[in-house]
Amino acid sequence: MAKKESRHFDFKDVEGLQVYMTSQGLLLPAKRSGLNAREQRRLKRAIKQARFLALLPYTA
Amino acid sequence: MTDHKHYYQAMFLLDNQEVRQKGFNEVRDWVRRTLEKHAISVPVLRLWGEREMTYRVGTRGRATYLLGWLEAAGNSINEAKRELYLVGPVFRCLFLEEAAIPEDELALGIPAIADHELVIPEEGAETDDESDDFSAREEEKVAVGSEEENDG
């Protein structure tokens, strides 16, 4: 059986990251995002990088 | 200190006022010179975009984003970052270590941008509109108030 490829997240892909955020600018929990633990960590890192560069809000 | 080279992706937030005054190409060259002064090789340094920030940084509401792919050794990134924050048009920057520089990015290199290609809107444009709306609303209130007085 082919192994499912792990997802990567880029801080520059603002629209792609916003899919995993609530309307208040918070990161969705893994239970709702449907990502595994490694992907969830990558997503968290990318969102924090985008927030630092003012591409995403800390709070909305 | 080790001479082992690492690849980095870097994003620089440039002050729009300085970009407008000096021109994008000059500001980009200043960033490149500053990085090269600290023995950082800069194969790619290009305009990523000019956009509104999601929150204000100091007095700035908009910024010009400069994307770079770098090759550096040892502690040179920290030294360059310190200098970038001390002087010049860069008010925020992020360096991320990467495994390699993508081929499509390498092909872009350091392109020159014509002055008319980068249009930077005035910072106060939106606030002026808001103040106009506010004054219009105030005028409406006064008009309504005076009508009510007349009715009474």
Side-chain angles (χ1 to χ4, degrees):
Chain A
M1 198 176 121
K3 196 177 176 184
K4 195 183 167 190
E5 200 169 312
S6 186
R7 280 202 64 175
H8 286 264
F9 297 96
D10 188 0
F11 69 91
K12 301 192 293 296
D13 179 20
V14 178
E15 282 80 20
L17 295 176
Q18 277 174 332
V19 172
Y20 297 98
M21 294 174 78
T22 66
S23 57
Q24 287 157 336
L26 300 174
L27 172 64
L28 284 179
K31 194 190 272 184
R32 283 188 62 198
S33 68
L35 302 172
N36 63 33
R38 180 179 291 177
E39 290 170 336
Q40 186 76 9
R41 283 198 298 275
R42 283 178 185 157
L43 172 67
K44 180 182 76 176
R45 208 171 298 137
I47 287 177
K48 286 184 176 183
Q49 287 160 356
R51 278 176 179 165
F52 175 71
L53 293 170
L55 296 171
L56 287 176
Y58 282 95
T59 53
Chain B
M1 193 185 289
T2 176
D3 286 338
H4 187 72
K5 292 265 182 183
H6 299 275
Y7 297 106
Y8 294 91
Q9 181 182 193
M11 185 72 97
F12 305 94
L13 270 70
L14 307 176
D15 186 23
N16 271 356
Q17 208 173 335
E18 289 213 37
V19 175
R20 204 180 291 123
Q21 278 171 1
K22 295 175 182 172
F24 172 76
N25 293 326
E26 194 173 318
V27 171
R28 185 207 54 205
D29 287 341
W30 183 87
V31 174
R32 184 173 56 81
R33 280 197 303 274
T34 308
L35 293 170
E36 286 175 346
K37 200 162 73 181
H38 294 278
I40 298 171
S41 163
V42 188
V44 184
L45 197 60
R46 65 178 179 89
L47 175 71
W48 186 70
E50 193 284 330
R51 58 191 293 162
E52 188 177 0
M53 295 187 288
T54 52
Y55 55 89
R56 295 187 76 82
V57 179
T59 55
R60 307 172 193 91
R62 301 184 70 90
T64 304
Y65 288 74
L66 186 66
L67 179 70
W69 289 84
L70 322 168
E71 199 179 340
N75 204 26
S76 50
I77 291 289
N78 281 336
E79 290 165 7
K81 201 190 280 184
R82 200 174 304 131
E83 185 170 348
L84 287 167
Y85 275 131
L86 271 175
V87 286
V90 178
F91 64 91
R92 192 164 281 196
C93 59
L94 178 74
F95 292 85
L96 301 173
E97 194 174 345
E98 300 283 349
I101 303 175
E103 288 294 324
D104 55 334
E105 286 286 345
L106 264 178
L108 293 170
I110 307 179
I113 300 281
D115 287 338
H116 65 270
E117 281 182 58
L118 177 64
V119 181
I120 302 173
E122 286 289 334
E123 192 88 27
E126 285 174 65
T127 51
D128 285 350
D129 290 346
E130 281 168 14
S131 64
D132 286 347
D133 289 346
F134 180 75
S135 56
R137 282 198 303 272
E138 286 298 303
E139 282 169 16
E140 274 176 30
K141 273 184 196 172
V142 171
V144 169
S146 59
E147 278 171 20
E148 281 172 1
E149 279 171 21
N150 292 337
D151 291 342

